[in-house]
Amino acid sequence: SRYNADTHEGEWFVIGQGSAVPTQIPAEMFYDNDNLQSITIPEGVETIGAKAFNRCSNLTSVSFPTTLQAIGAYGSGTTATGAFEDCNQLKVIDLSGCENLKAIPDKCFSSCNRVSSLVLPENLESIGDKAFLNLGTAIDGGLYSITLPASLTTIGSCAFQYSKVKNVILYSNLKVTESSTNADMAFDNSTVEDLTFQEGASPGTRMFTNCPNLIILHSYCATPPNLYPNNVYVFDGSNKIGTVYVPFAYLSAYKNAPGWKEFGDKILSNN
């Protein structure tokens, strides 16, 4: 049954038999609960069920336990329904302590449009389709920065589409094959202004298409990242990139690499 949040003024207190903490929050437990404002999920909870907090329209704060291992979803792709989808008052998503959380499923935090800060776990391996669609779009300034960790190998289509974020820092090596895409249109139509490729990073297919505010690009990679995975330009429609900073020792390599050489005199040393 669904929990009555009125009882504890919007805070969830687990009182189990023998003070036991359950290992999961059942699917739909707080679904469409407009009384819930703040919740601390206790240590010991490993799974958050599908639609558990979906459409909690007044939920502003969630504290996640370090024991969290999985977040559920109904369906997949564009028909999925996320566990925190449409929590449009949520302000912060901090998963930094969730070291055992490997995947964020499709549409998990979709339309959380008042989020001003997102911190992903360092061991995260995959982000699903539209997982963070419309992130931060309802607040002035949106998010200052999103860092994608080195452990991340798969990003779903349109994962951050339309998100309002100023800086994106990519540590991830998003491998693309001839028969599959990765991170396809992940930041399509987002407001990113400054993009950084850290050493070892590699962007996915059409990852930063139609980003009208993208003006600065940094790369710290010794080998210029492939900007044409699956023979499609990573920055298609992002036509305002004005400055490209690369390592001084590899200036010549960048100025001769496909996709990079077109920047010409815009390529400068970041040393």
Side-chain angles (χ1 to χ4, degrees):
S1 62
R2 295 178 188 169
Y3 176 79
N4 182 355
D6 285 326
T7 306
H8 296 299
E9 300 179 350
E11 289 284 353
W12 182 37
F13 294 91
V14 176
I15 304 174
Q17 187 176 12
S19 299
V21 175
T23 59
Q24 66 174 337
I25 297 176
E28 299 190 49
M29 187 164 187
F30 297 91
Y31 174 70
D32 201 20
N33 189 325
D34 59 8
N35 294 312
L36 190 64
Q37 298 177 19
S38 176
I39 186 163
T40 298
I41 302 174
E43 291 296 316
V45 172
E46 298 175 353
T47 303
I48 296 173
K51 292 175 67 175
F53 297 94
N54 184 279
R55 294 178 60 184
C56 288
S57 59
N58 290 309
L59 181 63
T60 63
S61 174
V62 179
S63 178
F64 294 93
T66 62
T67 52
L68 184 63
Q69 298 180 20
I71 302 174
Y74 276 135
S76 61
T78 58
T79 61
T81 303
F84 292 89
E85 186 177 357
D86 290 325
C87 290
N88 52 25
Q89 296 296 329
L90 189 63
K91 300 182 184 307
V92 173
I93 302 170
D94 185 355
L95 297 165
S96 59
C98 305
E99 295 182 356
N100 295 314
L101 182 65
K102 306 297 185 183
I104 295 175
D106 297 345
K107 298 184 77 174
C108 186
F109 293 97
S110 181
S111 295
C112 292
N113 56 13
R114 284 183 171 80
V115 168
S116 61
S117 178
L118 169 64
V119 185
L120 298 172
E122 289 187 1
N123 297 324
L124 188 68
E125 296 176 358
S126 70
I127 295 174
D129 295 348
K130 298 187 176 183
F132 296 100
L133 181 77
N134 291 320
L135 199 68
T137 55
I139 57 173
D140 291 340
L143 292 82
Y144 179 74
S145 181
I146 293 175
T147 297
L148 302 176
S151 58
L152 189 62
T153 58
T154 304
I155 300 179
S157 297
C158 305
F160 294 89
Q161 191 177 38
Y162 305 120
S163 61
K164 195 172 183 179
V165 56
K166 184 175 182 179
N167 303 292
V168 174
I169 303 170
L170 182 68
Y171 285 86
S172 318
N173 185 354
L174 301 170
K175 295 186 182 301
V176 177
T177 68
E178 292 184 1
S179 60
S180 67
T181 61
N182 194 348
D184 190 35
M185 300 178 70
F187 284 87
D188 177 66
N189 277 287
S190 71
T191 62
V192 59
E193 300 175 15
D194 191 314
L195 170 63
T196 299
F197 295 143
Q198 294 290 352
E199 175 60 44
S202 180
T205 314
R206 300 189 299 176
M207 190 170 181
F208 295 95
T209 53
N210 305 309
C211 296
N213 298 332
L214 183 56
I215 57 174
I216 300 175
L217 178 59
H218 302 262
S219 178
Y220 294 92
C221 303
T223 300
N226 180 14
L227 298 186
Y228 280 93
N230 278 358
N231 297 313
V232 182
Y233 190 40
V234 167
F235 300 116
D236 190 32
S238 302
N239 303 318
K240 296 184 179 179
I241 299 174
T243 309
V244 179
Y245 294 104
V246 304
F248 175 77
Y250 306 107
L251 269 172
S252 178
Y254 278 86
K255 288 189 175 184
N256 290 283
W260 294 92
K261 61 184 179 182
E262 287 77 7
F263 290 120
D265 292 340
K266 296 176 182 178
I267 300 179
L268 305 172
S269 170
N270 58 18
N271 296 102

